Amino acid sequence: MVKHTATSVVTIERFIIEQERLVPEASGALSSILYDIALAAKMIASKVRRAGLVDILGAMETQNVQGEIQQKLDVFANETIIKAMDHTGRLCAMASEEVPDIIPIPDNFKRGNYVLLFDPLDGSSNIDVNVPVGTIFSVMRKITRGADGEMEDMLQPGRRQVAAGYIIYGSSTMLVYTTGGGVHGFTLDPSIGEFLLSHPDIKIPTRGRYLSVNDSYEQFWDENVKALMRRYRGLDGHQKAMSVRYVGSLVADFHRNMLGGGIFAYPSNRQAPKGKLRLLYEANPLAFIAKEAGGAAYDGTEEILDVQPTELHQRTPLYIGSRDDIATAREFLSRQLATVG
Ligand code: AHM
Ligand code: MG
């Protein structure tokens, strides 16, 4: 990573260019995908900021592919990302949590060598109570031979991601991303409309302070999960109790735990044997970031990044965060005393 002095102002554009120069064979395509995502993020941020002012809130009558009520801002975020990315010649297809099938590149635009998968506005049920929401994205290299991206390009294990990131629309807007050379965070300065480097080379503390889990599902958890949560809470006398923090907005919970250390868990339960979160749009990109920051992500059986996806909107249980806390999860969940179902 290029070193900057504490006083140098580094825009995301400058940072991406400098990172690209460190890789002599880079074509610039990935850098351009990242700029375009940053542009879409600014457009979404400005809309989210005004959410309480303009008549944009409220559920539309359509339901998204997961069967949940879509908020209008979801639709806006989804369309903004598609429009910012479809004409650039860098992508050969996209996939969104809000769209049932692969999103093709329109016929009149050039195709590129990458696919983009994204959750345009995660946690959108939180918007009308002014809780942070986020965008999550993942970039993979195309592996099929034709010009258009195919299902096989989308269903690659997370280990093959070449870039991943998230934007958190919180008290400030931040964009955090990795291309495999560490995790870097940028804060949007609204007065100049630029993302400025604020958190270079983020590392997750090896053991964390925070536990983020929705324990209203406890009655439906497997015994191993219950025992694991007792350990995290310090109830079995083996470790200091972690503090419970649950926003219910994945990006916000993940971001806090990445900076402060800890674990976010959405275990499988009897009502939802695969949990709630999506492998391709949520778990994989955050797992790549966690790994690059020195943390880990686990699905209760294997590393998230090793899971071979079988469908676009696949759900997965998720344990993600500090390395040692994930090791504890691995220890408890591999006991397999009882099964969920
Ligand atoms: P969404 O993709 O429909 O917005 O749902 C995902 C959100 C996550 O942000 C959050 O971690 C989770 O749902 C919370 O779910 P629950 O209310 O079951 O705890
Ligand atoms: Mg989501």
Side-chain angles (χ1 to χ4, degrees):
M1 198 181 91
V2 177
K3 290 273 174 244
H4 295 106
T5 64
T7 53
S8 57
V9 174
V10 181
T11 63
I12 195 164
E13 280 82 357
R14 172 176 165 190
F15 188 86
I16 291 170
I17 291 169
E18 288 176 355
Q19 291 286 104
E20 187 187 305
R21 286 198 193 118
L22 300 176
V23 185
E25 65 279 10
S27 68
L30 194 55
S31 298
S32 125
I33 291 171
L34 292 169
Y35 298 148
D36 293 332
I37 289 172
L39 174 65
K42 286 189 235 177
M43 293 165 75
I44 298 168
S46 99
K47 207 69 160 182
V48 169
R49 288 271 160 274
R50 296 171 63 241
L53 297 171
V54 290
D55 183 29
I56 195 165
L57 282 181
M60 281 180 96
E61 284 178 4
T62 55
Q63 291 210 325
N64 72 4
V65 64
Q66 313 292 345
E68 296 145 359
I69 298 288
Q70 254 185 357
Q71 304 293 133
K72 283 183 186 173
L73 271 171
D74 285 12
V75 179
F76 174 83
N78 191 52
E79 285 172 2
T80 300
I81 295 173
I82 294 172
K83 286 198 188 111
M85 310 302 301
D86 67 0
H87 61 281
T88 60
R90 308 301 188 189
L91 301 176
C92 58
M94 291 179 259
S96 161
E97 191 189 293
E98 302 293 344
V99 180
D101 302 313
I102 291 180
I103 304 163
I105 301 300
D107 287 343
N108 48 327
F109 298 134
K110 274 175 63 181
R111 275 89 175 112
N113 291 324
Y114 293 91
V115 293
L116 173 71
L117 301 101
F118 59 94
D119 182 352
L121 208 58
D122 184 69
S124 52
S125 60
N126 286 317
I127 292 167
D128 48 5
V129 289
N130 221 340
V131 161
V133 288
T135 296
I136 312 174
F137 65 91
S138 159
V139 182
M140 307 251 197
R141 224 172 249 117
K142 178 178 189 302
I143 51 170
T144 56
R145 291 167 144 239
D148 290 314
E150 297 172 32
M151 194 56 88
E152 208 182 320
D153 299 307
M154 301 295 174
L155 301 184
Q156 301 185 60
R159 194 74 68 190
R160 301 233 188 98
Q161 290 171 103
V162 292
Y166 62 84
I167 297 103
I168 176 166
Y169 310 100
S171 48
S172 51
T173 298
M174 274 192 77
L175 189 155
V176 176
Y177 84 91
T178 185
T179 49
V183 178
H184 311 292
F186 300 80
T187 303
L188 182 63
D189 180 340
S191 64
I192 55 169
E194 290 279 5
F195 279 107
L196 304 178
L197 181 63
S198 52
H199 296 66
D201 204 15
I202 299 170
K203 292 292 175 214
I204 307 184
T206 50
R207 191 171 274 287
R209 279 192 277 161
Y210 301 119
L211 166 64
S212 303
V213 67
N214 184 344
D215 58 12
S216 66
Y217 302 115
E218 181 168 2
Q219 55 186 314
F220 305 117
W221 286 341
D222 172 46
E223 291 308 317
N224 289 339
V225 176
K226 288 183 189 166
L228 173 64
M229 296 303 158
R230 285 177 57 77
R231 169 66 57 90
Y232 287 146
R233 287 161 182 272
L235 296 175
D236 67 0
H238 281 84
Q239 76 170 59
K240 203 165 147 256
M242 297 169 88
S243 287
V244 176
R245 297 279 189 283
Y246 193 70
V247 175
S249 198
L250 176 61
V251 171
D253 282 314
F254 177 80
H255 183 72
R256 180 201 47 244
N257 294 359
M258 188 163 67
L259 299 183
I263 183 165
F264 171 94
Y266 205 113
S268 61
N269 68 60
R270 269 202 304 283
Q271 290 191 319
K274 293 202 143 192
K276 176 182 186 189
L277 302 170
R278 290 76 173 175
L279 176 60
L280 298 182
Y281 315 111
E282 292 162 332
N284 265 348
L286 297 186
F288 187 19
I289 290 172
K291 174 189 152 260
E292 283 295 319
Y298 184 59
D299 74 353
T301 309
E302 59 183 322
E303 302 303 305
I304 289 286
L305 293 174
D306 290 331
V307 175
Q308 173 60 58
T310 53
E311 51 183 310
L312 215 46
H313 294 285
Q314 171 169 349
R315 295 177 192 262
T316 178
L318 178 64
Y319 299 82
I320 187 165
S322 291
R323 193 192 64 201
D324 293 353
D325 297 315
I326 298 293
T328 306
R330 229 177 262 122
E331 182 202 323
F332 275 72
L333 301 176
S334 62
R335 289 180 191 167
Q336 288 305 348
L337 292 174
T339 47
V340 172

